[in-house]
Coordinates of all heavy atoms in Angstrom, one line a residue:
L1 N -86.5 10.3 235.0 CA -85.9 11.0 233.8 C -84.6 11.7 234.1 O -84.5 12.5 235.0 CB -87.0 12.0 233.3 CG -86.7 12.7 232.0 CD1 -86.9 11.6 230.8 CD2 -87.6 13.9 231.8
G2 N -83.6 11.3 233.3 CA -82.3 11.9 233.5 C -81.5 11.2 234.5 O -80.3 11.4 234.5
A3 N -82.1 10.3 235.3 CA -81.4 9.6 236.4 C -80.8 8.3 235.8 O -79.9 7.7 236.5 CB -82.2 9.4 237.6
V4 N -81.5 7.7 234.8 CA -81.2 6.4 234.3 C -80.8 6.6 232.8 O -81.5 7.5 232.1 CB -82.2 5.4 234.5 CG1 -82.3 5.1 236.0 CG2 -83.6 5.9 234.0
D5 N -80.0 5.7 232.3 CA -79.9 5.8 230.7 C -81.0 5.4 230.0 O -81.4 5.8 228.9 CB -78.5 5.1 230.4 CG -77.4 5.8 231.1 OD1 -77.3 7.1 231.2 OD2 -76.3 5.0 231.3
D6 N -81.5 4.2 230.5 CA -82.7 3.5 229.7 C -83.9 3.9 230.4 O -84.5 3.1 231.3 CB -82.5 2.0 229.7 CG -81.3 1.6 228.9 OD1 -80.9 2.3 227.9 OD2 -80.6 0.6 229.4
F7 N -84.5 5.1 230.0 CA -85.6 5.6 230.7 C -86.9 4.7 230.7 O -87.5 4.3 231.6 CB -86.0 7.0 230.2 CG -87.3 7.6 230.7 CD1 -87.3 8.0 232.1 CD2 -88.4 7.8 229.9 CE1 -88.6 8.6 232.5 CE2 -89.5 8.3 230.3 CZ -89.7 8.6 231.6
L8 N -87.3 4.5 229.4 CA -88.5 3.7 229.3 C -88.5 2.2 229.9 O -89.3 1.8 230.4 CB -88.9 3.6 227.8 CG -89.4 4.9 227.1 CD1 -89.9 4.7 225.6 CD2 -90.6 5.5 227.9
P9 N -87.3 1.5 229.7 CA -87.1 0.3 230.3 C -87.3 0.3 231.8 O -87.9 -0.5 232.5 CB -85.8 -0.4 229.9 CG -85.6 0.3 228.6 CD -86.1 1.7 228.8
A10 N -86.8 1.5 232.5 CA -86.9 1.6 233.9 C -88.3 1.9 234.3 O -88.8 1.4 235.3 CB -86.0 2.8 234.3
C11 N -89.0 2.7 233.5 CA -90.5 2.9 233.6 C -91.3 1.6 233.6 O -92.2 1.4 234.4 CB -91.1 4.0 232.8 SG -90.4 5.7 233.0
N12 N -90.9 0.8 232.6 CA -91.7 -0.5 232.4 C -91.4 -1.4 233.6 O -92.4 -2.1 234.0 CB -91.1 -1.1 231.1 CG -91.7 -2.4 230.9 OD1 -92.9 -2.5 230.4 ND2 -91.0 -3.5 231.2
A13 N -90.2 -1.4 234.1 CA -89.9 -2.3 235.3 C -90.7 -1.9 236.5 O -91.2 -2.7 237.3 CB -88.5 -2.3 235.6
Y14 N -90.8 -0.6 236.7 CA -91.5 0.0 237.8 C -93.1 -0.4 237.6 O -93.7 -0.9 238.5 CB -91.5 1.5 237.9 CG -92.5 2.2 238.8 CD1 -92.2 2.1 240.2 CD2 -93.6 2.8 238.3 CE1 -93.2 2.7 241.1 CE2 -94.5 3.4 239.2 CZ -94.3 3.3 240.5 OH -95.2 3.8 241.4
L15 N -93.6 -0.2 236.5 CA -95.1 -0.5 236.3 C -95.3 -2.0 236.3 O -96.4 -2.4 236.8 CB -95.5 0.0 234.9 CG -95.7 1.6 234.9 CD1 -96.0 2.0 233.5 CD2 -96.7 2.1 235.9
H16 N -94.4 -2.8 235.9 CA -94.6 -4.2 235.8 C -94.6 -4.8 237.3 O -95.2 -5.8 237.6 CB -93.5 -4.9 235.0 CG -93.8 -6.4 234.8 ND1 -93.4 -7.4 235.5 CD2 -94.6 -6.9 233.8 CE1 -93.7 -8.5 235.0 NE2 -94.5 -8.3 233.9
R17 N -94.0 -4.1 238.2 CA -94.0 -4.5 239.6 C -95.3 -4.1 240.4 O -95.6 -4.7 241.4 CB -92.8 -3.9 240.4 CG -91.5 -4.4 240.0 CD -90.4 -4.0 241.0 NE -90.3 -2.6 241.1 CZ -89.3 -1.8 240.5 NH1 -88.6 -2.4 239.6 NH2 -89.4 -0.5 240.7
Q18 N -96.1 -3.2 239.8 CA -97.3 -2.7 240.3 C -98.4 -3.8 239.9 O -99.1 -3.6 238.9 CB -97.6 -1.3 240.0 CG -96.6 -0.3 240.1 CD -96.1 -0.3 241.5 OE1 -96.8 -0.1 242.5 NE2 -94.7 -0.3 241.8
R19 N -98.7 -4.8 240.7 CA -99.5 -5.8 240.4 C -101.0 -5.4 240.3 O -101.7 -5.9 239.7 CB -99.4 -7.0 241.2 CG -98.1 -7.6 241.3 CD -97.9 -8.8 242.2 NE -96.6 -9.4 242.1 CZ -96.3 -10.5 243.0 NH1 -97.1 -11.0 243.8 NH2 -95.0 -11.0 242.8
E20 N -101.3 -4.2 241.0 CA -102.6 -3.9 241.1 C -102.9 -2.7 240.2 O -103.9 -2.1 240.2 CB -103.0 -3.3 242.6 CG -102.9 -4.5 243.6 CD -103.1 -4.0 245.0 OE1 -103.4 -2.8 245.2 OE2 -103.2 -4.8 246.0
A21 N -101.9 -2.4 239.4 CA -102.1 -1.3 238.3 C -103.3 -1.7 237.3 O -103.3 -2.7 237.0 CB -100.9 -1.0 237.6
E22 N -104.1 -0.6 237.0 CA -105.2 -0.9 236.1 C -104.9 0.0 234.8 O -104.3 1.1 235.0 CB -106.5 -0.4 236.8 CG -106.8 -1.1 238.1 CD -108.1 -0.6 238.7 OE1 -108.6 0.3 238.2 OE2 -108.5 -1.3 239.6
G23 N -105.3 -0.6 233.8 CA -105.3 0.2 232.5 C -103.7 0.1 232.0 O -102.9 -0.7 232.5
F24 N -103.5 0.9 230.9 CA -102.2 0.8 230.4 C -101.7 2.2 230.2 O -102.2 3.1 230.4 CB -102.2 0.2 229.0 CG -103.1 1.0 228.0 CD1 -102.6 2.0 227.2 CD2 -104.4 0.6 227.8 CE1 -103.4 2.8 226.4 CE2 -105.3 1.4 226.9 CZ -104.7 2.4 226.2

């Protein structure tokens, strides 16, 4: 937050890389 212009796309990219992530 505040470090990138496109906050939600950056969060989405991080979560998409977490292959073992559960839930949404």
Side-chain angles (χ1 to χ4, degrees):
L1 189 67
V4 295
D5 293 331
D6 297 328
F7 171 71
L8 290 183
C11 294
N12 179 78
Y14 168 80
L15 290 175
H16 195 264
R17 290 194 301 267
Q18 310 302 309
R19 298 180 179 179
E20 298 180 357
E22 299 179 357
F24 61 87

